[in-house]
Amino acid sequence: MWKHDAMAVTLQFSDPRIALRPASSDDDAFLRRVYASTREAELALTDWGDEAKRSFVDMQYSAQQQAYSGYANAECFVVLHNAEPVGRLYLQYGAETLSIVDLSLLTAWRGVGIGSAILSALLGRAKAEGKAVRMHVEKLNPALRLYQRHGFCPIEDRGVYLLLEWRAEITPSLQIRT
């Protein structure tokens, strides 16, 4: 499914209840459920029935997985809290950049510090390795505020998305204006 590098597995989290483990094909149903949770708000606005929503999510999840499988030097992890799967993290490793392809948590686990702990650990590791960290985020994504707090700055406007970058030498005072 994905190659696995020791970097993310060996991250040091400020909260000992948080961990990552490499995703396997056995995790597909869980990863699909995490993806579905990221689409709940927009699907709630439709008049579609449950079966139509499920079909849409399945189609979109499959397309996303296909796209992610094309990323070179990438890997997928299951985010754990007290050994319970609560989210997913896709990373892509470059010579000078670590890209967060996707960081998603189940709805019930958002806003409780898990995303922040993951970002802090990734940024600490990137700083130690002299790497920048990049990610795309939708302009209206509520998680944008989280990325701002961690010092990410926009480097390119890509329509619906912003390309964000974090560098150790950039001060957190350079915030995204929303």
Side-chain angles (χ1 to χ4, degrees), residues 1-11 13 18-24 27 30-31 34-35 38 64-65 68 73-80 85-93 98-106 114-123 125 133-135 146-147 152:
M1 181 173 190
W2 294 84
K3 91 170 201 60
H4 297 290
D5 186 282
M7 180 199 175
V9 177
T10 60
L11 288 173
F13 297 104
I18 299 171
L20 300 175
R21 71 166 168 75
S24 73
D27 294 307
F30 172 74
L31 297 173
V34 174
Y35 175 77
T38 69
Q64 185 184 65
Q65 291 303 105
Y68 286 179
N73 300 314
E75 58 188 332
C76 177
F77 294 95
V78 173
V79 177
L80 305 169
V86 299
R88 66 185 192 171
L89 174 65
Y90 292 83
L91 297 174
Q92 182 182 34
Y93 303 99
L98 172 64
S99 294
I100 301 171
V101 177
D102 192 308
L103 171 55
S104 301
L105 300 171
L106 291 170
I114 295 171
S116 188
I118 291 169
L119 287 172
S120 292
L122 285 171
L123 298 179
R125 186 62 166 274
V133 180
R134 288 187 173 179
M135 66 187 322
L146 171 66
Y147 307 137
F152 281 87

Side-chain angles (χ1 to χ4, degrees), residues 36-145:
S37 77
T38 69
R39 305 300 297 262
E40 287 171 348
E42 70 182 293
L43 289 175
L45 301 174
T46 71
D47 60 357
W48 300 354
D50 289 344
E51 187 54 40
K53 289 178 182 179
R54 240 185 326 277
S55 179
F56 174 79
V57 165
D58 287 347
M59 178 186 63
Q60 292 294 299
Y61 173 77
S62 295
Q64 185 184 65
Q65 291 303 105
Q66 180 69 30
Y68 286 179
S69 70
Y71 283 76
N73 300 314
E75 58 188 332
C76 177
F77 294 95
V78 173
V79 177
L80 305 169
H81 185 271
N82 282 333
E84 176 186 347
V86 299
R88 66 185 192 171
L89 174 65
Y90 292 83
L91 297 174
Q92 182 182 34
Y93 303 99
E96 297 176 11
T97 305
L98 172 64
S99 294
I100 301 171
V101 177
D102 192 308
L103 171 55
S104 301
L105 300 171
L106 291 170
T107 306
W109 293 97
R110 295 178 197 150
V112 298
I114 295 171
S116 188
I118 291 169
L119 287 172
S120 292
L122 285 171
L123 298 179
R125 186 62 166 274
K127 181 177 181 178
E129 295 182 6
K131 292 187 177 195
V133 180
R134 288 187 173 179
M135 66 187 322
H136 285 93
V137 63
E138 288 182 355
K139 292 176 182 177
L140 299 177
N141 185 332
L144 182 56
R145 291 184 305 277

